[in-house]
Amino acid sequence: MAPPPTAARPLRRAASVLHRRAGLRLALLLSAPMAWLVLAYLGSLAVLLLSAFWAVDDFTYDVERVWNTANFSTVLTEPVYRAIALRTLGIAVAVTVIDAVVAFPMAFYMARVARPRTRKLLVVAVLTPLWASYLVKAYAWRVIFSQGGVLDWLVGPLGLSSPGYGTTAVIVVLAYLWLPYMILPVYSGLENLPANLLDASADLGASAGRTFRSVVLPQVLPSVFAGSVFTFSLSLGDYVTVRIVGGKTQVLGTAIADNVTLNLPLAAALSCVPVVLIVGYLLAVRRTGALESL
Amino acid sequence: MILSRRTRIALRAAMVAGLAVVYLPLLLVLLNSLNRDRSFAWPPAGLTTQWWVRAWQSEGARSAVLTSLQAGAGATLVALVLGTMTAFAVQRHRFFGRQTVSFLVILPIALPGIVTGIALNAAFRTVLGPAGIGFGLLTVVIGHATFCIVVVFNNVVARLRRTFPSAEEASADLGAHTFQTFRYVTFPAVRSALLAGGLLAFALSFDEIVVTTFTAGPGVQTLPVWIYANLARPNQAPVVNVVAAVLVLLSVVPVYLAQRLSADSPGGRL
């Protein structure tokens, strides 16, 4: 066999060096992504955390690099911020509970009742709205909740009226937006349930209700927790939906956004609240083994 | 599990009702884009297609679409390269800190967009500002790529888990060098996962508003930012409605593509 043309030689030599040295391969593979994630991302987060310890000049609104913890004590002690944090937490919990309650029967129908052909179609039907713009969906609900809007028109004959823009609207819209994130993990949890477990339960004389309580629910609970990671964290950090349908409702997201331009240190301290809550929730959920089913 | 007839009917009713609630707002968007009335009085007094014509001619909407496409393409490209590299490192090597790498990749999407947004904003101002680089399209691409890496990573890792290195070893035994093996054996095996991941990354970037708000320069308006800025303007509302309707209609495209691309999970992995 003729020797390879000279241009190909350095390439082949590089290839053989890479082939022999797995450590070098790994280092090259990791270099660029880690440079990006550690420098660009963790670096930014560090800058943000650091600026939470700075102060703002009361007159010029300039950031002064004076080390202090006043921002954190403001966030922790001011009743306004405590109320905002509790409200945000309440919204996130309500959204998660609503989504779990709505998603479960739908996922159950998809996984256990529908025929295989229909099942495929239903999965696509649940998934498609995820691709429709987030903003457009929130906006559609703004039209629905508006005064004299669709909801008023719908429930008006019953003597009711739309709750208008506010906390209720925020909960409804967030639950709507994140519903597919709950349905999909619960669906795959239910689908992976071995049929013979259910048969065994029936053979031992359990009614459908008893099988559901004692076999299905304990097995699928981790999937519900997996879905709740999405619904809970996404609700905690949201601020655009709140701006669109929340009226004057203040949540952590809007409080952070409001402070960014005039008081970045306070905004930075405030943003530690959802981060701590989300990381705490992730750690708590990890103990149930739910994160493996993501 | 044998369900009674009544339970089955109740479950089907829940499914139908659930899907109705999911789709009715989207139908409303489509209908509203044809509403003759400027203030969307409900029910609509009449239908018209004039807003569609006006939206087609809207300069703002057109340039916003272009900016979104550019940002999406840039972010997807970066995410494809970095996500694939990380996936190969994590899936084909055993090393100290492997779990940490996976965690680090997921972090940008797990934390709220506003935290990522203001963190990048603060960092860009302190680091890029003195270097003379202002906020612009580049900063948007950097921001978007950061949270798009995870979807490419997830798709490629899932694929690598199911393909065994034996094919690559066979290729090496037959005399192919590392790059040839990558080109002719490894790459074809992960190609469709790359497409699915790239598609998801692009969709994620195209839909993003929060990080964009805090990383975009004054002249840079992606489509979501444009929509958000024009929501409150009564004059622009009909055009916004048409753009919204187009976005709802277009959401079918990625679902169809993803369905054809990946057999392992519908719509790729989130």
Side-chain angles (χ1 to χ4, degrees), chain B residues 42 55 179 216 235:
Chain B
W42 189 264
F179 300 125
N235 194 32

Side-chain angles (χ1 to χ4, degrees), chain A residues 50-98:
Chain A
L50 201 65
S51 64
F53 291 99
W54 291 341
V56 161
D57 189 288
D58 285 337
F59 294 103
T60 59
Y61 294 118
D62 283 337
V63 174
E64 291 177 333
R65 304 192 173 183
V66 189
W67 187 265
N68 71 92
T69 53
N71 296 308
F72 287 102
S73 53
T74 306
V75 168
L76 293 176
T77 55
E78 280 277 339
V80 183
Y81 292 119
R82 198 177 301 162
I84 287 176
L86 285 177
R87 183 180 309 125
T88 314
L89 196 63
I91 289 174
V93 170
V95 168
T96 303
V97 170
I98 291 173

Side-chain angles (χ1 to χ4, degrees), chain B residues 120-172:
Chain B
L120 288 172
N121 183 294
F124 288 158
R125 244 190 288 177
T126 40
V127 177
L128 293 185
I133 307 170
F135 287 87
L137 188 62
L138 180 71
T139 44
V140 175
V141 170
I142 295 176
H144 283 193
T146 306
F147 62 77
C148 284
I149 295 174
V150 64
V151 289
V152 176
F153 173 81
N154 279 351
N155 274 277
V156 177
V157 160
R159 177 63 50 87
L160 286 177
R161 208 175 279 152
R162 290 188 293 110
T163 55
F164 297 100
S166 49
E168 286 154 27
E169 283 158 16
S171 163

